[in-house]
Amino acid sequence: MAMGLASTRGGGRRGLGSRRRPMSEINVTPFVDVMLVLLIIFMVTAPLLTAGVPIDLPDSRAAQLPSDQQQVTISIDEAGYVYIDDAAVELGGLPQALESIPRSGEGPDITLRADRALDYGRVMAVMGELNRAGLNRISLITNSAAPASVNAGSSGEE
């Protein structure tokens, strides 16, 4: 009987001694590696998130407006073709394309990008279609660099 108690007690000790304590430290090396990879991915893709239609914007000294979540970019290239975000709009199809823009509350903010070589009438025609569609919150996008001269048309002599 003594032998049975001794073997039971010895087996119990061996079970307690072989248990491992839980690890209380967190290994952050994999976390840092993943975060650095994500940072590099975002740094590479962030410049690509702007509107993809190449346009030569005019210059202006105006302050930049705060950007909102609900924003639609309409671009007019040098040839006069209209794009909603990056999708080309068929000729004469602008009113239907503007009606398909999702709206909530006051409607989306429209940012209008137009090439500096465009005729003023073409830009006004697109703005008229925006007004007819009920999209009245329009921001005109320009380059932030200061123009060469405000009085470029005057001779400077009096």
Side-chain angles (χ1 to χ4, degrees), residues 119-148:
D119 181 36
Y120 184 70
R122 179 66 177 138
V123 177
M124 287 296 106
V126 171
M127 288 183 72
E129 289 297 328
L130 289 168
N131 189 350
R132 185 177 301 155
L135 301 168
N136 297 322
R137 298 176 61 175
I138 304 170
S139 300
L140 300 174
I141 304 298
T142 61
N143 285 333
S144 60

PDB file of all heavy atoms in Angstrom, residues 119-148:
ATOM      1  N   ASP A 119     -12.341  75.940 -74.472  1.00  0.00           N
ATOM      2  CA  ASP A 119     -13.190  77.103 -74.689  1.00  0.00           C
ATOM      3  C   ASP A 119     -14.060  77.303 -73.444  1.00  0.00           C
ATOM      4  O   ASP A 119     -14.567  76.341 -72.858  1.00  0.00           O
ATOM      5  CB  ASP A 119     -14.057  76.854 -75.933  1.00  0.00           C
ATOM      6  CG  ASP A 119     -14.959  78.016 -76.245  1.00  0.00           C
ATOM      7  OD1 ASP A 119     -14.533  79.168 -76.038  1.00  0.00           O
ATOM      8  OD2 ASP A 119     -16.093  77.771 -76.694  1.00  0.00           O
ATOM      9  N   TYR A 120     -14.221  78.542 -73.033  1.00  0.00           N
ATOM     10  CA  TYR A 120     -15.019  78.869 -71.851  1.00  0.00           C
ATOM     11  C   TYR A 120     -16.458  78.365 -71.996  1.00  0.00           C
ATOM     12  O   TYR A 120     -17.066  77.917 -71.034  1.00  0.00           O
ATOM     13  CB  TYR A 120     -15.002  80.389 -71.654  1.00  0.00           C
ATOM     14  CG  TYR A 120     -15.703  80.871 -70.418  1.00  0.00           C
ATOM     15  CD1 TYR A 120     -15.173  80.633 -69.153  1.00  0.00           C
ATOM     16  CD2 TYR A 120     -16.896  81.575 -70.511  1.00  0.00           C
ATOM     17  CE1 TYR A 120     -15.810  81.089 -68.016  1.00  0.00           C
ATOM     18  CE2 TYR A 120     -17.541  82.031 -69.378  1.00  0.00           C
ATOM     19  CZ  TYR A 120     -16.992  81.791 -68.139  1.00  0.00           C
ATOM     20  OH  TYR A 120     -17.628  82.236 -67.017  1.00  0.00           O
ATOM     21  N   GLY A 121     -16.971  78.387 -73.214  1.00  0.00           N
ATOM     22  CA  GLY A 121     -18.343  77.930 -73.456  1.00  0.00           C
ATOM     23  C   GLY A 121     -18.521  76.446 -73.166  1.00  0.00           C
ATOM     24  O   GLY A 121     -19.585  76.024 -72.704  1.00  0.00           O
ATOM     25  N   ARG A 122     -17.498  75.648 -73.433  1.00  0.00           N
ATOM     26  CA  ARG A 122     -17.594  74.203 -73.170  1.00  0.00           C
ATOM     27  C   ARG A 122     -17.690  73.944 -71.675  1.00  0.00           C
ATOM     28  O   ARG A 122     -18.476  73.116 -71.224  1.00  0.00           O
ATOM     29  CB  ARG A 122     -16.381  73.482 -73.773  1.00  0.00           C
ATOM     30  CG  ARG A 122     -16.364  72.000 -73.532  1.00  0.00           C
ATOM     31  CD  ARG A 122     -17.494  71.306 -74.255  1.00  0.00           C
ATOM     32  NE  ARG A 122     -17.417  69.881 -74.056  1.00  0.00           N
ATOM     33  CZ  ARG A 122     -18.476  69.114 -73.810  1.00  0.00           C
ATOM     34  NH1 ARG A 122     -19.677  69.630 -73.793  1.00  0.00           N
ATOM     35  NH2 ARG A 122     -18.333  67.829 -73.605  1.00  0.00           N
ATOM     36  N   VAL A 123     -16.906  74.658 -70.896  1.00  0.00           N
ATOM     37  CA  VAL A 123     -16.951  74.501 -69.442  1.00  0.00           C
ATOM     38  C   VAL A 123     -18.307  74.956 -68.907  1.00  0.00           C
ATOM     39  O   VAL A 123     -18.916  74.297 -68.054  1.00  0.00           O
ATOM     40  CB  VAL A 123     -15.797  75.284 -68.768  1.00  0.00           C
ATOM     41  CG1 VAL A 123     -15.888  75.183 -67.254  1.00  0.00           C
ATOM     42  CG2 VAL A 123     -14.455  74.793 -69.262  1.00  0.00           C
ATOM     43  N   MET A 124     -18.824  76.056 -69.427  1.00  0.00           N
ATOM     44  CA  MET A 124     -20.126  76.561 -68.986  1.00  0.00           C
ATOM     45  C   MET A 124     -21.255  75.619 -69.385  1.00  0.00           C
ATOM     46  O   MET A 124     -22.243  75.480 -68.663  1.00  0.00           O
ATOM     47  CB  MET A 124     -20.386  77.958 -69.555  1.00  0.00           C
ATOM     48  CG  MET A 124     -19.550  79.039 -68.903  1.00  0.00           C
ATOM     49  SD  MET A 124     -19.944  79.237 -67.150  1.00  0.00           S
ATOM     50  CE  MET A 124     -18.547  78.482 -66.397  1.00  0.00           C
ATOM     51  N   ALA A 125     -21.120  74.935 -70.531  1.00  0.00           N
ATOM     52  CA  ALA A 125     -22.147  73.969 -70.935  1.00  0.00           C
ATOM     53  C   ALA A 125     -22.201  72.813 -69.952  1.00  0.00           C
ATOM     54  O   ALA A 125     -23.289  72.352 -69.568  1.00  0.00           O
ATOM     55  CB  ALA A 125     -21.862  73.467 -72.348  1.00  0.00           C
ATOM     56  N   VAL A 126     -21.046  72.334 -69.502  1.00  0.00           N
ATOM     57  CA  VAL A 126     -21.020  71.242 -68.523  1.00  0.00           C
ATOM     58  C   VAL A 126     -21.572  71.729 -67.192  1.00  0.00           C
ATOM     59  O   VAL A 126     -22.351  71.030 -66.537  1.00  0.00           O
ATOM     60  CB  VAL A 126     -19.585  70.682 -68.377  1.00  0.00           C
ATOM     61  CG1 VAL A 126     -19.499  69.713 -67.219  1.00  0.00           C
ATOM     62  CG2 VAL A 126     -19.149  70.011 -69.662  1.00  0.00           C
ATOM     63  N   MET A 127     -21.218  72.953 -66.790  1.00  0.00           N
ATOM     64  CA  MET A 127     -21.756  73.493 -65.538  1.00  0.00           C
ATOM     65  C   MET A 127     -23.268  73.683 -65.622  1.00  0.00           C
ATOM     66  O   MET A 127     -23.983  73.482 -64.636  1.00  0.00           O
ATOM     67  CB  MET A 127     -21.055  74.804 -65.176  1.00  0.00           C
ATOM     68  CG  MET A 127     -19.628  74.595 -64.720  1.00  0.00           C
ATOM     69  SD  MET A 127     -18.820  76.111 -64.216  1.00  0.00           S
ATOM     70  CE  MET A 127     -19.645  76.430 -62.680  1.00  0.00           C
ATOM     71  N   GLY A 128     -23.773  74.048 -66.801  1.00  0.00           N
ATOM     72  CA  GLY A 128     -25.219  74.169 -66.990  1.00  0.00           C
ATOM     73  C   GLY A 128     -25.920  72.825 -66.833  1.00  0.00           C
ATOM     74  O   GLY A 128     -26.997  72.747 -66.242  1.00  0.00           O
ATOM     75  N   GLU A 129     -25.313  71.756 -67.363  1.00  0.00           N
ATOM     76  CA  GLU A 129     -25.884  70.417 -67.193  1.00  0.00           C
ATOM     77  C   GLU A 129     -25.862  69.988 -65.733  1.00  0.00           C
ATOM     78  O   GLU A 129     -26.786  69.329 -65.253  1.00  0.00           O
ATOM     79  CB  GLU A 129     -25.140  69.399 -68.060  1.00  0.00           C
ATOM     80  CG  GLU A 129     -25.384  69.546 -69.534  1.00  0.00           C
ATOM     81  CD  GLU A 129     -26.849  69.317 -69.913  1.00  0.00           C
ATOM     82  OE1 GLU A 129     -27.531  68.513 -69.248  1.00  0.00           O
ATOM     83  OE2 GLU A 129     -27.299  69.957 -70.872  1.00  0.00           O
ATOM     84  N   LEU A 130     -24.792  70.351 -65.017  1.00  0.00           N
ATOM     85  CA  LEU A 130     -24.730  70.043 -63.585  1.00  0.00           C
ATOM     86  C   LEU A 130     -25.847  70.762 -62.835  1.00  0.00           C
ATOM     87  O   LEU A 130     -26.501  70.187 -61.962  1.00  0.00           O
ATOM     88  CB  LEU A 130     -23.363  70.443 -63.011  1.00  0.00           C
ATOM     89  CG  LEU A 130     -22.179  69.579 -63.429  1.00  0.00           C
ATOM     90  CD1 LEU A 130     -20.872  70.254 -63.046  1.00  0.00           C
ATOM     91  CD2 LEU A 130     -22.279  68.213 -62.783  1.00  0.00           C
ATOM     92  N   ASN A 131     -26.086  72.027 -63.176  1.00  0.00           N
ATOM     93  CA  ASN A 131     -27.143  72.805 -62.529  1.00  0.00           C
ATOM     94  C   ASN A 131     -28.504  72.212 -62.852  1.00  0.00           C
ATOM     95  O   ASN A 131     -29.367  72.091 -61.977  1.00  0.00           O
ATOM     96  CB  ASN A 131     -27.057  74.257 -62.998  1.00  0.00           C
ATOM     97  CG  ASN A 131     -27.965  75.160 -62.213  1.00  0.00           C
ATOM     98  OD1 ASN A 131     -28.798  74.713 -61.446  1.00  0.00           O
ATOM     99  ND2 ASN A 131     -27.808  76.454 -62.413  1.00  0.00           N
ATOM    100  N   ARG A 132     -28.730  71.821 -64.098  1.00  0.00           N
ATOM    101  CA  ARG A 132     -30.009  71.235 -64.499  1.00  0.00           C
ATOM    102  C   ARG A 132     -30.262  69.914 -63.770  1.00  0.00           C
ATOM    103  O   ARG A 132     -31.388  69.578 -63.444  1.00  0.00           O
ATOM    104  CB  ARG A 132     -30.024  71.003 -66.007  1.00  0.00           C
ATOM    105  CG  ARG A 132     -31.374  70.501 -66.496  1.00  0.00           C
ATOM    106  CD  ARG A 132     -31.413  70.337 -67.988  1.00  0.00           C
ATOM    107  NE  ARG A 132     -31.137  71.603 -68.633  1.00  0.00           N
ATOM    108  CZ  ARG A 132     -30.635  71.713 -69.849  1.00  0.00           C
ATOM    109  NH1 ARG A 132     -30.363  70.644 -70.550  1.00  0.00           N
ATOM    110  NH2 ARG A 132     -30.412  72.888 -70.378  1.00  0.00           N
ATOM    111  N   ALA A 133     -29.181  69.169 -63.474  1.00  0.00           N
ATOM    112  CA  ALA A 133     -29.322  67.890 -62.770  1.00  0.00           C
ATOM    113  C   ALA A 133     -29.475  68.086 -61.262  1.00  0.00           C
ATOM    114  O   ALA A 133     -29.632  67.122 -60.527  1.00  0.00           O
ATOM    115  CB  ALA A 133     -28.115  67.003 -63.048  1.00  0.00           C
ATOM    116  N   GLY A 134     -29.413  69.343 -60.788  1.00  0.00           N
ATOM    117  CA  GLY A 134     -29.585  69.611 -59.356  1.00  0.00           C
ATOM    118  C   GLY A 134     -28.295  69.477 -58.562  1.00  0.00           C
ATOM    119  O   GLY A 134     -28.321  69.452 -57.339  1.00  0.00           O
ATOM    120  N   LEU A 135     -27.166  69.417 -59.242  1.00  0.00           N
ATOM    121  CA  LEU A 135     -25.867  69.321 -58.571  1.00  0.00           C
ATOM    122  C   LEU A 135     -25.255  70.718 -58.544  1.00  0.00           C
ATOM    123  O   LEU A 135     -24.572  71.137 -59.474  1.00  0.00           O
ATOM    124  CB  LEU A 135     -24.971  68.322 -59.308  1.00  0.00           C
ATOM    125  CG  LEU A 135     -25.531  66.908 -59.420  1.00  0.00           C
ATOM    126  CD1 LEU A 135     -24.731  66.083 -60.397  1.00  0.00           C
ATOM    127  CD2 LEU A 135     -25.567  66.255 -58.051  1.00  0.00           C
ATOM    128  N   ASN A 136     -25.538  71.450 -57.476  1.00  0.00           N
ATOM    129  CA  ASN A 136     -25.153  72.858 -57.403  1.00  0.00           C
ATOM    130  C   ASN A 136     -23.926  73.113 -56.541  1.00  0.00           C
ATOM    131  O   ASN A 136     -23.473  74.248 -56.452  1.00  0.00           O
ATOM    132  CB  ASN A 136     -26.319  73.693 -56.875  1.00  0.00           C
ATOM    133  CG  ASN A 136     -27.506  73.623 -57.813  1.00  0.00           C
ATOM    134  OD1 ASN A 136     -27.355  73.605 -59.024  1.00  0.00           O
ATOM    135  ND2 ASN A 136     -28.696  73.559 -57.244  1.00  0.00           N
ATOM    136  N   ARG A 137     -23.408  72.099 -55.898  1.00  0.00           N
ATOM    137  CA  ARG A 137     -22.216  72.277 -55.061  1.00  0.00           C
ATOM    138  C   ARG A 137     -20.999  71.913 -55.902  1.00  0.00           C
ATOM    139  O   ARG A 137     -20.534  70.784 -55.891  1.00  0.00           O
ATOM    140  CB  ARG A 137     -22.329  71.409 -53.820  1.00  0.00           C
ATOM    141  CG  ARG A 137     -23.535  71.803 -52.949  1.00  0.00           C
ATOM    142  CD  ARG A 137     -23.686  70.901 -51.789  1.00  0.00           C
ATOM    143  NE  ARG A 137     -22.486  70.978 -50.966  1.00  0.00           N
ATOM    144  CZ  ARG A 137     -22.347  70.370 -49.800  1.00  0.00           C
ATOM    145  NH1 ARG A 137     -23.321  69.643 -49.342  1.00  0.00           N
ATOM    146  NH2 ARG A 137     -21.248  70.467 -49.114  1.00  0.00           N
ATOM    147  N   ILE A 138     -20.483  72.896 -56.645  1.00  0.00           N
ATOM    148  CA  ILE A 138     -19.414  72.667 -57.611  1.00  0.00           C
ATOM    149  C   ILE A 138     -18.162  73.408 -57.163  1.00  0.00           C
ATOM    150  O   ILE A 138     -18.212  74.585 -56.832  1.00  0.00           O
ATOM    151  CB  ILE A 138     -19.827  73.152 -59.013  1.00  0.00           C
ATOM    152  CG1 ILE A 138     -21.122  72.468 -59.451  1.00  0.00           C
ATOM    153  CG2 ILE A 138     -18.720  72.906 -60.019  1.00  0.00           C
ATOM    154  CD1 ILE A 138     -21.717  73.052 -60.696  1.00  0.00           C
ATOM    155  N   SER A 139     -17.038  72.697 -57.163  1.00  0.00           N
ATOM    156  CA  SER A 139     -15.736  73.303 -56.885  1.00  0.00           C
ATOM    157  C   SER A 139     -14.898  73.204 -58.153  1.00  0.00           C
ATOM    158  O   SER A 139     -14.808  72.142 -58.761  1.00  0.00           O
ATOM    159  CB  SER A 139     -15.014  72.563 -55.758  1.00  0.00           C
ATOM    160  OG  SER A 139     -15.772  72.595 -54.576  1.00  0.00           O
ATOM    161  N   LEU A 140     -14.293  74.317 -58.551  1.00  0.00           N
ATOM    162  CA  LEU A 140     -13.416  74.323 -59.710  1.00  0.00           C
ATOM    163  C   LEU A 140     -12.002  74.046 -59.233  1.00  0.00           C
ATOM    164  O   LEU A 140     -11.496  74.716 -58.339  1.00  0.00           O
ATOM    165  CB  LEU A 140     -13.485  75.670 -60.432  1.00  0.00           C
ATOM    166  CG  LEU A 140     -14.876  76.051 -60.957  1.00  0.00           C
ATOM    167  CD1 LEU A 140     -14.849  77.453 -61.528  1.00  0.00           C
ATOM    168  CD2 LEU A 140     -15.346  75.064 -61.992  1.00  0.00           C
ATOM    169  N   ILE A 141     -11.348  73.072 -59.846  1.00  0.00           N
ATOM    170  CA  ILE A 141     -10.014  72.647 -59.427  1.00  0.00           C
ATOM    171  C   ILE A 141      -8.975  73.356 -60.283  1.00  0.00           C
ATOM    172  O   ILE A 141      -9.089  73.408 -61.503  1.00  0.00           O
ATOM    173  CB  ILE A 141      -9.852  71.122 -59.566  1.00  0.00           C
ATOM    174  CG1 ILE A 141     -10.950  70.402 -58.784  1.00  0.00           C
ATOM    175  CG2 ILE A 141      -8.476  70.668 -59.118  1.00  0.00           C
ATOM    176  CD1 ILE A 141     -10.931  70.666 -57.309  1.00  0.00           C
ATOM    177  N   THR A 142      -7.951  73.906 -59.615  1.00  0.00           N
ATOM    178  CA  THR A 142      -6.837  74.563 -60.293  1.00  0.00           C
ATOM    179  C   THR A 142      -5.536  74.096 -59.670  1.00  0.00           C
ATOM    180  O   THR A 142      -5.534  73.426 -58.636  1.00  0.00           O
ATOM    181  CB  THR A 142      -6.924  76.095 -60.155  1.00  0.00           C
ATOM    182  OG1 THR A 142      -6.875  76.422 -58.768  1.00  0.00           O
ATOM    183  CG2 THR A 142      -8.189  76.647 -60.771  1.00  0.00           C
ATOM    184  N   ASN A 143      -4.423  74.466 -60.285  1.00  0.00           N
ATOM    185  CA  ASN A 143      -3.122  74.246 -59.661  1.00  0.00           C
ATOM    186  C   ASN A 143      -2.953  75.268 -58.553  1.00  0.00           C
ATOM    187  O   ASN A 143      -3.433  76.397 -58.652  1.00  0.00           O
ATOM    188  CB  ASN A 143      -1.993  74.414 -60.681  1.00  0.00           C
ATOM    189  CG  ASN A 143      -1.895  73.226 -61.608  1.00  0.00           C
ATOM    190  OD1 ASN A 143      -2.262  72.113 -61.248  1.00  0.00           O
ATOM    191  ND2 ASN A 143      -1.410  73.467 -62.807  1.00  0.00           N
ATOM    192  N   SER A 144      -2.218  74.898 -57.512  1.00  0.00           N
ATOM    193  CA  SER A 144      -2.051  75.811 -56.383  1.00  0.00           C
ATOM    194  C   SER A 144      -0.913  76.795 -56.581  1.00  0.00           C
ATOM    195  O   SER A 144      -0.727  77.682 -55.768  1.00  0.00           O
ATOM    196  CB  SER A 144      -1.832  75.019 -55.100  1.00  0.00           C
ATOM    197  OG  SER A 144      -0.683  74.226 -55.226  1.00  0.00           O
ATOM    198  N   ALA A 145      -0.148  76.673 -57.656  1.00  0.00           N
ATOM    199  CA  ALA A 145       0.950  77.605 -57.902  1.00  0.00           C
ATOM    200  C   ALA A 145       0.394  78.963 -58.289  1.00  0.00           C
ATOM    201  O   ALA A 145      -0.656  79.077 -58.917  1.00  0.00           O
ATOM    202  CB  ALA A 145       1.840  77.071 -59.016  1.00  0.00           C
ATOM    203  N   ALA A 146       1.101  80.009 -57.897  1.00  0.00           N
ATOM    204  CA  ALA A 146       0.663  81.363 -58.208  1.00  0.00           C
ATOM    205  C   ALA A 146       0.830  81.636 -59.690  1.00  0.00           C
ATOM    206  O   ALA A 146       1.805  81.204 -60.298  1.00  0.00           O
ATOM    207  CB  ALA A 146       1.478  82.371 -57.403  1.00  0.00           C
ATOM    208  N   PRO A 147      -0.114  82.337 -60.308  1.00  0.00           N
ATOM    209  CA  PRO A 147       0.028  82.657 -61.727  1.00  0.00           C
ATOM    210  C   PRO A 147       1.185  83.624 -61.961  1.00  0.00           C
ATOM    211  O   PRO A 147       1.608  84.332 -61.057  1.00  0.00           O
ATOM    212  CB  PRO A 147      -1.322  83.278 -62.093  1.00  0.00           C
ATOM    213  CG  PRO A 147      -1.901  83.752 -60.818  1.00  0.00           C
ATOM    214  CD  PRO A 147      -1.349  82.841 -59.747  1.00  0.00           C
ATOM    215  N   ALA A 148       1.681  83.651 -63.202  1.00  0.00           N
ATOM    216  CA  ALA A 148       2.826  84.500 -63.533  1.00  0.00           C
ATOM    217  C   ALA A 148       2.489  85.972 -63.331  1.00  0.00           C
ATOM    218  O   ALA A 148       3.259  86.726 -62.742  1.00  0.00           O
ATOM    219  CB  ALA A 148       3.259  84.240 -64.966  1.00  0.00           C
TER     220      ALA A 148
END
